[in-house]
Amino acid sequence: MNDRMLRLDAILDELVEVERSLARGAARRARLLAEATAVRLAQAERGSEGLAMRSLVAEIGCATRVSEGTVARLVNEAEILVGSLPGTLEALSSGAISYRHAQVVARHAVSVPVGARAGFEAVVLHEAEVLTPSRFERVVRRERERVHPESIEERTVAAQAERSVRFEPDVDGMAWLVCHLPAVVAVAVDDRLDRLARAARSAGEGRTHGQLRADALGELLLGGGAGAGAGAGSDTGSGSGVGDGCDRIVPTVVLTVPALTLLGHDAGQARLEGYGPIDVPTARRLAARAPSFVRILTHPESGETVSVGRTRYRPPADLRLALELADEFCRFPGCARRASRCELDHTEDWAGGGETSRANLHHLCVRHHHVKHDSTGWRVAAGRDRILRWTSPTGRTYETRPSGSPASPWPRSAVRAPLPARSTPLDSCTRGPERRRRPVFRDESARDHLLVGSPGRSLTTGRPTTRGTSAPDPRLDEPPPF
């Protein structure tokens, strides 16, 4: 071999060793996670194990800068590997298999009866050393079907309870819509999209088959018809069908965009709530289809409500909306739940003298609202500019800022001086995290924004609105029952 081939051979050897090192690290991580789980559960009071695990997952996520969903999955996999699959864990520790192979075994073994897991593992494990994870999964799935005591009909009923759809933002004005469906439904949907895309083909069509399928899906869900979009495509492949979907959308949720930008001036960037920056032409097209505009001033000097002190427990509508736009996400470290699906929390509890003010109100999702209040050991204090300083049960500290701040919401220090955790009841200003909201566009620098909403209705409560200021509804001002 010449020198280049010799170097390539050496690189391959190094890559193999890197993969083995990663596998050994994954095995060590699994053992540590299983030990952390055992320690935390040993500390938990009887009946509070679920809350203890929620707190542990949050603490690990903050310390490692990994999402809580990923941490929960890793913890579950660690428990099954350490507790029931010693052979798989040993193979992972030696670098003989990858963590992806170990995940496949763990995911299928968890539904196999405990007494049958050793035999199941022994049958499939030797295949993991010679097959890729995708090929290995087919082998494991077949073996699981063979040894599983429950019929596939019973398991299908249970699995269908896990169906879901989730939204995942991507870059450059794009996003993923991921569906987890029963296999029969998924195959039928896939087949229909295929047929619609093929039917939309024409001599002048510039869109690819994948683009036609995507446009057909958007057309169906947005109620524009049963095709992949009318008209021929362009050279860029965007077509004149559903494309970006703007011609099918009548904004019925809040749309915030600088007024001068809508008029054609370069007045700042538009932002979509729960996503981030989008192009101004898209914002203009959406705004052009809005039924009405309501002016809102978002600077304190403009007259925006910033506090009602101790006179009211529930914040007025303009303050709620301003806080939703400012926070944009849950204010717990690393959480990506949109503020429109969260609850407003008095950081200093109302029952303890906290005010209903901009400085004392912050959005928390239901999960982290309970983490704060249900004696998990987490503590939080509000600082200047609505900065929140969180202290974990082990004493590590983390800061989060409103979404417009350039600072990171992840750990800024690691002080280990835990204080006694306080026990306080759940304090929720707003409920109904599943209510429908309007797409929000925001310019971080401009003070004057336009909000697009349904005519004659409040942007926050949906109740009919009138000109001028009306007296607050006393039913909305009742303090919490604690």
Side-chain angles (χ1 to χ4, degrees):
M1 289 191 293
N2 58 34
D3 291 345
R4 291 181 178 177
M5 293 303 294
L6 288 173
R7 177 54 187 155
L8 180 58
D9 186 57
I11 290 173
L12 291 175
D13 286 340
E14 288 186 46
L15 287 173
V16 170
E17 182 55 35
V18 167
E19 291 299 317
R20 287 175 176 164
S21 297
L22 291 173
R24 289 191 286 267
R28 183 185 178 197
R29 179 183 61 192
R31 291 189 173 95
L32 290 172
L33 290 173
E35 183 181 0
T37 300
V39 170
R40 191 67 184 91
L41 290 178
Q43 296 173 332
E45 297 179 2
R46 186 177 182 85
S48 64
E49 292 85 357
L51 192 60
M53 287 305 300
R54 182 181 296 180
S55 176
L56 176 65
V57 166
E59 176 123 39
I60 294 173
C62 288
T64 60
R65 303 187 186 186
V66 175
S67 72
E68 290 182 32
T70 299
V71 172
R73 175 177 54 79
L74 290 172
V75 168
N76 289 336
E77 290 167 352
E79 287 191 276
I80 188 71
L81 286 171
V82 173
S84 301
L85 301 172
T88 303
L89 185 61
E90 181 58 34
L92 185 64
S93 300
S94 68
I97 64 173
S98 71
Y99 188 66
R100 181 71 184 88
H101 291 91
Q103 284 180 304
V104 170
V105 180
R107 185 172 66 252
H108 289 281
V110 73
S111 61
V112 174
V114 175
R117 287 177 185 174
F120 169 78
E121 181 187 38
V123 170
V124 302
L125 191 55
H126 71 280
E127 299 285 353
E129 298 185 19
V130 296
L131 296 177
T132 63
S134 59
R135 290 279 305 278
F136 178 59
E137 174 134 27
R138 295 189 183 97
V139 173
V140 176
R141 189 185 305 120
R142 286 198 303 268
E143 182 63 19
R144 174 179 173 271
E145 292 295 331
R146 189 183 69 81
V147 302
H148 206 290
E150 294 181 359
S151 69
I152 191 171
E153 289 80 7
E154 294 174 314
R155 285 179 280 129
T156 297
V157 171
Q160 286 180 351
E162 303 298 322
R163 61 192 184 277
S164 64
V165 179
R166 69 178 186 273
F167 172 84
E168 297 180 359
D170 203 356
V171 297
D172 300 328
M174 300 294 286
W176 295 93
L177 193 64
V178 183
C179 307
H180 185 55
L181 301 170
V184 173
V185 176
V187 169
V189 169
D190 182 71
D191 180 67
R192 185 174 185 191
L193 293 178
D194 227 28
R195 288 187 285 108
L196 290 173
R198 295 184 188 283
R201 284 283 190 186
S202 64
E205 180 59 69
R207 289 173 287 176
T208 66
H209 185 69
Q211 291 167 346
L212 286 167
R213 281 169 54 89
D215 290 350
L217 176 64
E219 187 88 7
L220 289 170
L221 293 180
L222 294 175
S234 65
D235 292 338
T236 63
S238 61
S240 58
V242 78
D244 58 14
C246 290
D247 58 340
R248 299 284 188 258
I249 300 172
V250 176
T252 55
V253 290
V254 176
L255 173 69
T256 306
V257 63
L260 292 178
T261 297
L262 290 182
L263 298 176
H265 301 282
D266 185 10
Q269 191 179 65
R271 288 176 61 84
L272 177 64
E273 182 192 22
Y275 173 79
I278 67 167
D279 61 290
V280 171
T282 297
R284 289 191 185 121
R285 289 200 300 276
L286 283 172
R289 298 181 60 80
S292 68
F293 289 86
V294 179
R295 185 170 182 268
I296 183 170
L297 302 175
T298 59
H299 192 277
E301 295 176 359
S302 66
E304 171 194 292
T305 302
V306 295
S307 175
V308 291
R310 296 283 299 171
T311 61
R312 293 181 60 183
Y313 169 71
R314 299 186 185 279
D318 59 343
L319 179 56
R320 288 203 304 271
L321 181 57
L323 291 171
E324 182 179 313
L325 297 176
D327 286 341
E328 194 168 0
F329 299 101
C330 170
R331 293 293 304 279
F332 191 85
C335 185
R337 174 74 66 173
R338 279 182 268 177
S340 60
R341 299 179 180 179
C342 293
E343 301 171 337
L344 265 179
D345 172 66
H346 286 82
T347 301
E348 181 184 355
D349 298 338
W350 172 269
E355 294 187 348
T356 301
S357 66
R358 182 183 180 92
N360 193 46
L361 292 171
H362 304 86
H363 284 87
L364 294 177
C365 66
V366 174
R367 174 186 296 271
H368 294 126
H369 210 162
H370 281 281
V371 166
K372 173 179 180 277
H373 286 283
D374 289 351
S375 302
T376 63
W378 283 90
R379 303 181 305 280
V380 62
R384 294 183 56 185
D385 301 322
R386 302 187 68 245
I387 295 174
L388 292 183
R389 186 177 181 85
W390 291 85
T391 304
S392 76
T394 59
R396 287 177 168 82
T397 57
Y398 309 90
E399 285 185 1
T400 67
R401 299 168 181 261
S403 185
S405 170
S408 168
W410 289 105
R412 299 179 63 83
S413 61
V415 180
R416 292 175 176 81
L419 300 174
R422 61 182 180 181
S423 176
T424 52
L426 189 64
D427 168 28
S428 173
C429 294
T430 56
R431 293 288 180 181
E434 299 303 322
R435 65 186 187 279
R436 295 184 179 273
R437 302 295 302 174
R438 301 174 172 83
V440 176
F441 300 83
R442 183 193 315 165
D443 169 37
E444 303 294 351
S445 59
R447 296 182 180 182
D448 203 342
H449 294 66
L450 291 178
L451 295 189
V452 178
S454 302
R457 290 199 169 269
S458 164
L459 296 173
T460 308
T461 64
R463 296 185 177 86
T465 58
T466 59
R467 295 186 182 275
T469 303
S470 59
D473 186 343
R475 294 172 299 175
L476 300 179
D477 195 30
E478 297 176 0
F482 42 76

